[in-house]
Amino acid sequence: MKAKPFLVAAPAALALVLAGCGGSTGDTSSDGSSAAPKDCSSADVFCIGLVTDTGSVDDKNFNQAAWEGVKKLEGDGVQTKFIETKDAKDYANNLKQFTDQKYDAIVTVGFLMAEATVTAAKANPNVKFIGVDQFQDEKATAPNVTGLIFPEADAGYAAGYLAGLMTKTNKIGVVLGQEIPPTQNYAKGYEQGSKAANPKVTVAKVYHPAGDNAFSDSPWGAGEAKKMLAQGADFIFGAGGGTGNGALGEAAKTSGAGESIFCIGVDVDQWETVPEAHPCLITSAEKKLTDGTAELLNQAKDGSIKGGNFVGKTGLSEYHDFDSKIPADVKTKVADIVKQLEDGSLKVA
């Protein structure tokens, strides 16, 4: 029987806990039989494993988007499984579970997994590794690692440009996960874009302290957004997994949400994944993460994948219910900025 779609199957999969692995697991097989594990050393099955950073595979954000990219390869002879990392010290052990089982391709999600990914790749040269948000330095990487990277600053710039044009208080905010290059890039672009649109704008910015919950601390994100809103911010950009989602939720329940208070999601179109943010969610600064993951896995499967870096696409999601509330001239200006970012005529410094 063909495996059910991810959003249905995930709760059951998440209940499976593998003793001593440092995380929970879930797997599906789409070879016409069942979800029972197959022999990944066989040429008849292509096995894809995904290891999250410290976060869940149904985080409505980064990990989920990468997993959905894995699931796009479902078809005859493909087996997929995820492992959710609960503690950073378990990266190596979680990767070893897949390499020991002779998986063909392994996706590791997040900048913080870069070192563990390269170490595992060097020890397993026949396995193809895809490191999401992991820039590959040619001196420090392995030839069987491909970094899926994105120009986050471009997406942040477009989001900031929209906020700069629409803010009434000239105060906007961004609540981020741990301070690492991808979150720094979002913040940099957001600030530059907002000031390009409106030089009077001030941007409040806060990063979550480093730790295993840096991208899953919804209460902290909500608390930081509440402070910004109390100080007059009328746009909140939540950029940091569950931590950012907390900021979106706080803005959504604030008086004036959708009229004078707006929020911006990140990584995926969060209109589809964080319905509680609908009252304020005007758009999301997207990485086309699902498409990028699937494209590289197809290359791994057909043997054409190359080591080094693969640059994925970014952009703004649809405006959904806010489309009619955004002035036509604002939409035109933002669309022009997005086009300039895409064709390279505008570069974020």
Side-chain angles (χ1 to χ4, degrees):
M1 180 181 296
K2 183 175 175 63
K4 295 179 180 179
F6 165 61
L7 292 176
V8 176
L14 291 173
L16 301 175
V17 179
L18 185 62
C21 75
S24 54
T25 68
D27 65 314
T28 60
S29 175
S30 50
D31 61 358
S33 55
S34 68
K38 304 300 180 185
D39 179 4
C40 291
S41 65
S42 169
D44 296 328
V45 60
F46 187 80
C47 293
I48 305 169
L50 178 141
V51 180
T52 73
D53 196 352
T54 51
S56 66
V57 81
D58 63 345
D59 64 356
K60 302 178 181 179
N61 197 287
F62 198 73
N63 288 311
Q64 182 170 324
W67 176 241
E68 289 175 351
V70 172
K71 300 290 284 182
K72 277 194 168 189
L73 269 79
E74 283 194 334
D76 289 346
V78 174
Q79 176 169 290
T80 63
K81 178 182 284 188
F82 65 80
I83 297 176
E84 294 176 319
T85 302
K86 301 304 182 186
D87 190 307
K89 71 179 187 327
D90 295 313
Y91 291 154
N93 191 43
N94 290 343
L95 286 164
K96 189 173 185 296
Q97 290 184 67
F98 287 134
T99 57
D100 283 354
Q101 295 174 52
K102 308 300 181 186
Y103 267 61
D104 299 285
I106 301 173
V107 179
T108 64
V109 186
F111 172 84
L112 297 174
M113 291 197 70
E115 184 177 352
T117 300
V118 171
T119 299
K122 288 179 177 178
N124 298 275
N126 294 324
V127 180
K128 302 301 183 185
F129 288 81
I130 296 167
V132 180
D133 265 7
Q134 297 170 29
F135 179 83
Q136 300 303 305
D137 183 326
E138 61 183 23
K139 295 180 180 179
T141 190
N144 54 325
V145 181
T146 305
L148 175 56
I149 60 174
F150 298 88
E152 296 95 352
D154 288 1
Y157 190 102
Y161 200 87
L162 173 66
L165 291 176
M166 291 193 64
T167 179
K168 301 300 182 185
T169 65
N170 291 330
K171 296 178 180 180
I172 64 176
V174 54
V175 178
L176 301 125
Q178 183 173 333
E179 187 171 5
I180 57 176
T183 54
Q184 290 172 324
N185 289 337
Y186 273 129
K188 176 178 71 173
Y190 185 65
E191 186 166 11
Q192 289 187 18
S194 64
K195 291 182 181 296
N198 179 357
K200 296 179 180 179
V201 163
T202 58
V203 182
K205 175 178 65 179
V206 62
Y207 291 98
H208 192 288
D212 287 342
N213 68 337
F215 291 93
S216 59
D217 195 347
S218 181
W220 183 90
E224 293 301 317
K226 189 172 184 177
K227 293 176 190 176
M228 294 177 182
L229 292 163
Q231 293 167 3
D234 56 0
F235 268 81
I236 297 294
F237 179 24
T243 301
N245 293 352
L248 302 181
E250 183 64 31
K253 68 181 186 182
T254 300
S255 177
E259 298 297 332
S260 58
I261 301 293
F262 302 94
C263 61
I264 298 171
V266 77
D267 289 339
V268 299
D269 183 354
Q270 292 204 287
W271 186 270
E272 306 297 341
T273 60
V274 190
E276 61 268 29
H278 282 183
C280 66
L281 193 65
I282 195 167
T283 189
S284 298
E286 278 193 84
K287 296 178 181 178
K288 307 300 182 182
L289 225 162
T290 296
D291 292 342
T293 301
E295 184 170 350
L296 285 177
L297 284 170
N298 276 312
Q299 291 179 14
K301 191 170 184 290
D302 68 23
S304 65
I305 194 168
K306 292 181 172 62
N309 293 294
F310 180 93
V311 181
K313 297 178 180 179
T314 63
L316 290 183
S317 66
E318 296 178 20
Y319 299 126
H320 296 287
D321 287 359
F322 288 90
D323 189 73
S324 62
K325 295 184 178 182
I326 301 173
D329 65 321
V330 169
K331 287 192 283 189
T332 298
K333 290 177 181 177
V334 171
D336 185 54
I337 287 297
V338 170
K339 183 176 182 298
Q340 291 178 48
L341 289 165
E342 288 176 345
D343 66 23
S345 58
L346 173 61
K347 297 186 183 300
V348 183

